[in-house]
């Protein structure tokens, strides 16, 4: 019976993941009501299948590692990113085409979306970054026209939301309110959400702070709960957790945070208490 239950659970997860791709496409193209939208949960910087235990339906991988993903998860494919110093792509158009061909990305059943760029103009050094992202997203769409999949750009500066609006199918936004030696700034996430509304961005995901580096610190379980609660009072379509591992820190060493994230991933529409 245990083996049968396991197989049934795997089938349910596979159906849910497939439905996620279809529903996201419908949301992007048709604007369904919030209650009908899927909720995507992405574990960043890992291919560890243990992430499925905590409710992560997606993990971000490079094209060559798509085949390493287990059957009960899917890929958000990282496409090399944007050099925010030189204001050029790390992979040329030809290199992107070559990877799509070599790894047969457009035909892969494991892929749900493509991560085009992360904070491409965070230093305000690249005024043409938004146009570049739009062009790269168009290239990806030409290589994979399947609208059950989506393109994604991550933008950290609310002043840039308007310029990046529509450059990809979905925008993700990172807001990290908890700094070393300070209480979390609970005004930052609402301020970013207000800026998204003002900029007319309607398809977005939130990147959650679950790391420690330089001025940023690990949040407590209560603080992470507060961040999630603020995002839940918005029209976010999912969350990306930054990060499963980063600069020597490992989320796996913080079971108190994983419990909070699993609760979110398992029941994303059950509201957390506000901070």
């Amino acid at each position: 019976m245990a083996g049968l239950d396991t197989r049934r659970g795997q089938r349910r997860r596979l159906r849910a993941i497939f439905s996620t791709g279809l529903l996201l496409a419908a949301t992007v193209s048709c604007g369904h009501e919030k209650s009908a939208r899927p909720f995507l949960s992405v574990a960043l910087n890992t291919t560890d299948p243990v992430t499925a235990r905590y409710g992560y339906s997606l993990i971000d991988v490079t094209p060559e590692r798509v085949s390493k993903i287990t059957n009960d998860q899917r890929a958000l494919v990282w496409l090399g990113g944007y050099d925010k110093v030189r204001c050029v792509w790390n992979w040329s158009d030809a290199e992107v085409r070559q990877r799509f061909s070599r790894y047969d990305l457009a035909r892969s059943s494991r892929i749900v979306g493509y991560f085009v760029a992360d904070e491409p103009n965070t230093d305000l050094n690249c005024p043409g970054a938004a146009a570049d992202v739009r062009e790269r997203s168009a290239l990806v769409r030409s290589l994979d026209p399947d609208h059950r999949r989506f393109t994604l750009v991550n933008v950290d500066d609310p002043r840039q939301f308007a310029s990046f609006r529509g450059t990809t199918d979905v925008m993700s936004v990172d807001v990290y309110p908890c700094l070393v030696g300070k209480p979390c700034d609970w005004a930052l996430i609402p301020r970013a959400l207000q800026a998204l509304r003002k900029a007319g961005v309607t398809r977005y995901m939130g990147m959650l702070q679950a790391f420690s580096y330089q001025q940023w610190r690990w949040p407590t379980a209560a603080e992470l709960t507060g961040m999630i609660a603020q995002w839940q009072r918005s029209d976010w379509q999912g969350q990306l957790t930054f990060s499963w591992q980063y600069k020597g820190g490992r989320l796996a060493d913080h079971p108190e945070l994983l419990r909070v994230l699993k609760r979110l991933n398992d029941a994303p529409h059950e509201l957390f208490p506000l901070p």
Side-chain angles (χ1 to χ4, degrees), residues 41 43 48-57 73 239 241 244 251-267:
S41 295
D48 192 338
V50 76
T51 54
R53 183 187 307 168
Y54 300 101
Y56 286 97
S57 56
Q73 289 183 306
Q239 66 97 353
T241 299
W244 193 257
L251 186 53
D253 295 331
H254 293 267
E256 75 285 0
L257 300 183
L258 286 173
R259 283 192 291 270
V260 174
L261 292 164
K262 177 174 170 49
R263 177 186 166 196
L264 167 66
N265 294 338
D266 287 349

Side-chain angles (χ1 to χ4, degrees), residues 12-26 36 38 40:
R12 283 195 296 269
R13 286 195 296 271
L14 283 169
R15 287 195 296 270
I17 291 168
F18 180 70
S19 297
T20 290
L22 293 176
L23 282 171
L24 178 64
L40 302 180

Side-chain angles (χ1 to χ4, degrees), residues 42 44-45 176 207-211 240-244 246:
V42 187
L44 295 173
N45 295 332
Y176 303 143
M207 193 172 289
L208 299 176
Q209 179 179 351
F211 72 102
L240 303 94
T241 299
F242 189 83
S243 171
W244 193 257
Y246 187 68

Side-chain angles (χ1 to χ4, degrees), residues 1-12:
M1 287 298 292
L4 179 60
D5 289 343
T6 299
R7 290 194 295 273
R8 285 173 175 167
Q10 289 173 340
R11 288 196 293 270
R12 283 195 296 269

